[in-house]
Amino acid sequence: MTRKIGLALGGGAALGWAHIGIIQVLTENGFRPDIVTGTSIGSIVGACYVAGKMEALEKVARGMNWHRMIRLADIQIGKNGFLAGEPVVALLREHLGDCRIEDFDRPFAAVAADLVSGDQVIFDTGDVVEALRASISIPGVFTPVRSGQRLLVDGGLLNTVPVSTCRDLGADLVIGVNIVGDFEGQAAAAGLLRHPDESATPGKGGETVGARAAFANLSQSVARFFRGEAKEPGFLGVALTSGALILREIARGHAEICPADVYIEPKVGHITQIEFDKADELIALGREAIMVKIPEIKALLARADQS
């Protein structure tokens, strides 16, 4: 009996570029998940995968820099979110058009959370871009999406890695990817722990933590601002690490209730969730994380087929 394979892609903003590497390796090894679910950035990568748009997504990811990120930001003051998200929606429309989830060649779902009821909202039908816009609505960053009586935000508040959604859609075996699971790396990046190699904190061009050259590189400067360089971490570093801890515990709670058959946590914690210009490194780290799991996946499928 052939078992249906599910792929659950977790949220984590910029860290989601690691999902691209994971999907590349799965494809190279002949795996084609029958069911795909995603939360936040995981929903974007998952939708692009199911829609056959991975090459376009990789091109966008690898071409991302701070200039392009600023162009995608539609900053607003006095609203219930820092960004309205219209340029992001336009970019998604450019590549996904008006396609509907039910028209994909396999089941797909994006996960959001309703601030009114406190319930999880699963988008497994309807306009895919509208579903993605709701799923990526990080509270305080993107404005929530109003849908009838519902006020929708990032699904990571309730289901960081939507393994349970995969199973609800019929998956027998699920590969879960948690891109915010490297808490130790995140704590080190924020200055709460000593980085294993402080002379080579990740950054373009191999800049060191104290290098003046970093001021010429906006990405490195912003990363250093979030991490802090004083004896004590800055308040933003503390805030980001606190958020990472919350996400880790949400993922752990779901993993205990509905565990994945294969669980992947790429070592990407040293990269902040705003560093969308780190696609090259994140994709490589995603590939590295899944490569060591390929034998486990093959063995699991072989046992399942024999049962």
Side-chain angles (χ1 to χ4, degrees):
M1 176 182 176
T2 301
R3 304 300 180 98
K4 290 185 177 180
I5 303 173
L7 177 62
L9 303 175
L15 304 182
W17 295 148
H19 290 316
I20 297 175
I22 286 168
I23 289 173
Q24 287 176 343
V25 172
L26 285 173
T27 301
E28 291 164 6
N29 283 271
F31 297 112
R32 182 184 181 277
D34 303 287
I35 297 165
V36 179
T37 61
T39 294
S40 197
I41 187 69
S43 69
I44 290 180
V45 178
C48 288
Y49 172 52
V50 175
K53 301 291 184 179
M54 286 302 292
E55 287 187 10
L57 177 64
E58 183 179 355
K59 184 176 180 180
V60 169
R62 292 190 187 274
M64 193 64 68
N65 54 39
W66 281 91
H67 175 69
R68 290 175 180 165
M69 287 168 59
I70 290 171
R71 288 175 57 189
L72 287 173
D74 47 349
I75 299 172
Q76 55 185 7
I77 306 298
K79 301 291 184 178
N80 52 7
F82 192 56
L83 305 176
E86 293 180 7
V88 174
V89 169
L91 182 61
L92 291 171
R93 286 286 178 206
E94 178 184 339
H95 294 286
L96 294 171
D98 296 321
C99 64
R100 298 181 66 80
I101 296 173
E102 57 266 35
D103 294 333
F104 287 150
D105 65 355
R106 69 197 104 166
F108 167 78
V111 179
D114 179 14
L115 287 181
V116 176
S117 67
D119 294 333
Q120 181 176 252
V121 178
I122 307 299
F123 289 92
D124 55 3
T125 60
D127 184 281
V128 65
V129 173
E130 291 181 3
L132 300 182
R133 174 62 180 87
S135 185
I136 68 171
S137 297
I138 302 171
V141 178
F142 285 104
T143 55
V145 172
R146 176 65 72 177
S147 177
Q149 298 299 313
R150 300 186 300 193
L151 191 64
L152 304 176
V153 294
D154 192 315
L157 290 178
L158 297 175
N159 199 349
T160 307
V161 185
V163 173
S164 57
T165 310
C166 258
R167 297 206 187 278
D168 290 343
L169 291 177
D172 300 301
L173 305 172
V174 180
I175 301 169
V177 185
N178 181 14
I179 52 174
V180 294
D182 183 17
F183 178 74
E184 182 176 337
Q186 293 169 332
L192 296 169
L193 294 172
R194 286 289 184 183
H195 194 278
D197 182 4
E198 290 189 337
S199 64
T201 297
K204 290 187 175 180
E207 299 94 336
T208 61
V209 171
R212 292 184 180 276
F215 288 96
N217 183 320
L218 183 57
S219 170
Q220 186 71 3
S221 298
V222 172
R224 290 170 65 239
F225 174 65
F226 273 80
R227 293 174 181 133
E229 293 187 64
K231 292 182 179 180
E232 294 296 329
F235 78 95
L236 286 174
V238 171
L240 287 175
T241 308
S242 299
L245 180 59
I246 292 171
L247 290 175
R248 185 190 72 172
E249 291 308 302
I250 292 173
R252 282 184 173 180
H254 275 274
E256 290 179 0
I257 297 171
C258 187
D261 297 281
V262 177
Y263 202 66
I264 302 166
E265 289 186 344
K267 295 299 182 182
V268 296
H270 60 280
I271 300 174
T272 66
Q273 293 188 31
I274 64 167
E275 293 180 89
F276 283 92
D277 63 327
K278 296 291 183 67
D280 291 350
E281 183 178 358
L282 286 163
I283 291 172
L285 289 169
R287 291 182 62 89
E288 181 181 310
I290 185 67
M291 281 296 292
V292 299
K293 294 286 188 174
I294 291 298
E296 180 182 345
I297 296 172
K298 289 181 177 179
L300 186 65
L301 289 174
R303 290 197 299 271
D305 289 341
Q306 293 172 359
S307 62

